[in-house]
Amino acid sequence: MDKITRVGIAGTGLIGKGIALEVGKQSELSLAKVLTRRDITTMNDYPFPERLTNSVEDFIGNCDLVVECSGDVIYGTEVIDQAIKASLPVITMNAELQVTTGSYFAKRGFITEAEGDQPGCLASLHENVVEMGFKPLVYGNIKGFLKLDPILEDMEYFSKRNGVRLDMTISFTDGTKVQVEQALVANGLGAGIAVDGLLAPSSNDLNETGAELAEEAKQLGYPISEFVLAPKAPPGVFITAEHDSRQKDALRYFKMGEGPYYTILQNFHLCHLEVVKTIKRVINGGGVLLNNGENPSVGVAAIAKRTLQPGEEIEKGIGSFQVRGEAVKMTSNQNHVPIGLLVNAVMKRTVEEGQIITFDDVELPESLALTAWLETIEKLPINS
């Protein structure tokens, strides 16, 4: 390639910093600007301080392509809106944003999730297995542990040990993150979910569990997006699929088992280290890897972890001790509040532990993200 693509990164956390380091190594890419809300004068540990800016206008005006990885739905939506208006392609490492406002942007410009996190890795694996003739039935995410209502002391310990924000640590632990990821996979790959909250079977054998989930998908009549609890399995993704029965003997020889369901495992996901692959895909005309689609069928509802009282404020729903997220079918949960919108929200009514928060239960501040969600659900086929 003769042209050097100017890459802008929105976000300076673990993921944003890691992407910047990798972009800086590429001969056909240049790290143009890095957008942050932090005080730049205090960021002495950032590897490219001369690229930092607090100005969205400065950021957008000096980039050919934007990577959004702020981890913030409300703020990230504002940044992407400016990028789309400037006709810039947008790559996200922000599944929470995708399932909340990604469909709004999919109708307006180019937006794709990156490889690295499980949704992008599943999308890449999907392309690979389909090219080999497989017909996917299960898009599987592997999770090693789950605690629906973790305690502060434990979360502070793991946050400090892993160098990851407290809210992100909570979201990983209480299942919100994996529910978000699998909702995005379902919407982006034309799949569905078996039940609200997902089946989430425990597994000591991915081939066996994959086959059980594939049988569930066959009975439902559509592919499903799922996750398994498998503490001894690698931190990767898998697809369980069917194949042409005439290939059965060959697949047995290839150590894929007897069929009729075959599980293809990718035993890793390397987060920011894989994002450059998606950047190169986009600039070389490879198109969208994965986004939330224009007409999503799965949302991520906020479920009360305890009884919430009128007047109680939810500063940020994702990664809180008040709510967690669950993937739900939009057809039967049209009034649910996406957990990504619960920012500086105030409860209007009592919501008991385990109940879904609806728009009747809470007052939300005005935001582009809220506008985007309301437009998305208004234009869904179920509401037309």
Side-chain angles (χ1 to χ4, degrees):
M1 293 178 58
D2 297 326
K3 185 177 183 293
I4 303 298
T5 299
R6 300 175 301 164
V7 176
I9 299 172
T12 52
L14 174 69
I15 298 298
K17 185 186 295 185
I19 296 170
L21 288 169
E22 294 310 305
V23 167
K25 298 176 184 177
Q26 309 299 316
S27 61
E28 66 268 48
L29 307 176
S30 71
L31 181 63
K33 289 288 180 179
V34 178
L35 183 64
T36 183
R37 288 172 289 176
R38 297 162 60 188
D39 182 349
I40 293 173
T41 63
T42 67
M43 298 175 63
N44 299 322
D45 62 336
Y46 192 77
F48 307 102
E50 72 283 1
R51 300 288 190 264
L52 294 169
T53 181
N54 294 134
S55 166
V56 176
E57 292 75 16
D58 180 37
F59 175 71
I60 297 296
N62 286 282
C63 299
D64 301 314
L65 175 149
V66 167
V67 179
E68 203 294 316
C69 55
S70 67
D72 188 310
V73 172
I74 306 298
Y75 173 72
T77 295
E78 297 282 353
V79 174
I80 291 174
D81 184 56
Q82 293 303 309
I84 294 292
K85 286 177 177 176
S87 300
L88 299 179
V90 175
I91 297 171
T92 63
M93 180 67 86
N94 194 340
E96 294 84 353
L97 182 148
Q98 282 277 1
V99 299
T100 312
T101 61
S103 296
Y104 174 83
F105 292 121
K107 297 176 182 179
R108 286 167 166 77
F110 184 98
I111 182 170
T112 183
E113 186 77 350
E115 281 189 71
D117 273 352
Q118 286 93 332
C121 289
L122 271 169
S124 177
L125 184 59
H126 164 83
E127 290 185 341
N128 192 15
V129 302
V130 168
E131 286 178 355
M132 292 189 287
F134 290 96
K135 296 180 180 178
L137 290 169
V138 181
Y139 297 100
N141 195 332
I142 302 169
K143 189 164 178 61
F145 62 94
L146 183 70
K147 190 171 186 180
L148 297 182
D149 194 9
I151 62 174
L152 176 59
E153 183 180 5
D154 288 347
M155 295 298 91
E156 287 179 332
Y157 168 78
F158 285 109
S159 173
K160 184 177 180 180
R161 190 187 78 170
N162 296 328
V164 175
R165 288 192 335 235
L166 178 62
D167 61 316
M168 294 177 67
T169 303
I170 297 168
S171 175
F172 298 156
T173 304
D174 70 9
T176 298
K177 181 70 171 176
V178 71
Q179 297 276 344
V180 165
E181 290 176 336
Q182 295 314 103
L184 171 56
V185 168
N187 290 331
L189 297 182
I193 59 175
V195 296
D196 290 349
L198 307 183
L199 295 169
S202 297
S203 177
N204 292 317
D205 184 327
L206 286 179
N207 289 316
E208 181 179 309
T209 307
E212 291 169 356
L213 290 171
E215 190 59 43
E216 179 77 22
K218 289 289 284 185
Q219 292 179 14
L220 290 168
Y222 56 82
I224 59 174
S225 179
E226 263 297 338
F227 76 96
V228 300
L229 282 169
K232 296 181 181 180
V237 295
F238 68 92
I239 289 176
T240 301
E242 296 177 297
H243 209 296
D244 187 331
S245 61
R246 291 171 295 181
Q247 298 284 7
K248 181 176 181 178
D249 291 343
L251 287 165
R252 183 192 302 115
Y253 175 70
F254 297 148
K255 306 296 189 294
M256 292 296 293
E258 293 294 328
Y261 307 125
Y262 303 95
T263 293
I264 302 97
L265 170 68
Q266 178 179 304
N267 63 357
F268 65 90
H269 75 285
L270 299 179
C271 299
H272 59 267
L273 297 181
E274 299 188 65
V275 175
V276 166
K277 289 191 289 181
T278 307
I279 294 173
K280 292 181 179 180
R281 171 195 178 97
V282 171
I283 64 178
N284 287 317
V288 171
L289 175 66
L290 176 74
N291 63 31
N292 204 53
E294 294 189 12
N295 298 296
S297 62
V298 180
V300 182
I303 310 293
K305 288 183 176 180
R306 55 171 174 77
T307 300
L308 303 174
Q309 302 291 350
E312 182 172 348
E313 182 175 352
I314 300 176
E315 183 178 347
K316 184 181 180 185
I318 295 175
S320 75
F321 293 103
Q322 295 162 294
V323 295
R324 59 183 174 81
E326 277 194 5
V328 296
K329 298 177 182 179
M330 303 273 278
T331 51
S332 51
N333 297 278
Q334 295 180 41
N335 202 34
H336 79 276
V337 176
I339 191 170
L341 291 181
L342 283 181
V343 178
N344 298 322
V346 179
M347 296 301 300
K348 295 191 295 186
R349 304 195 305 194
T350 300
V351 175
E352 302 293 337
E353 178 181 348
Q355 290 185 339
I356 290 178
I357 296 176
T358 71
F359 278 95
D360 298 324
D361 300 322
V362 67
E363 183 175 342
L364 299 171
E366 292 297 322
S367 67
L368 176 60
L370 174 58
T371 299
W373 174 260
L374 294 176
E375 179 187 297
T376 298
I377 60 173
E378 180 184 1
K379 293 185 177 180
L380 289 179
I382 58 175
N383 293 322
S384 60

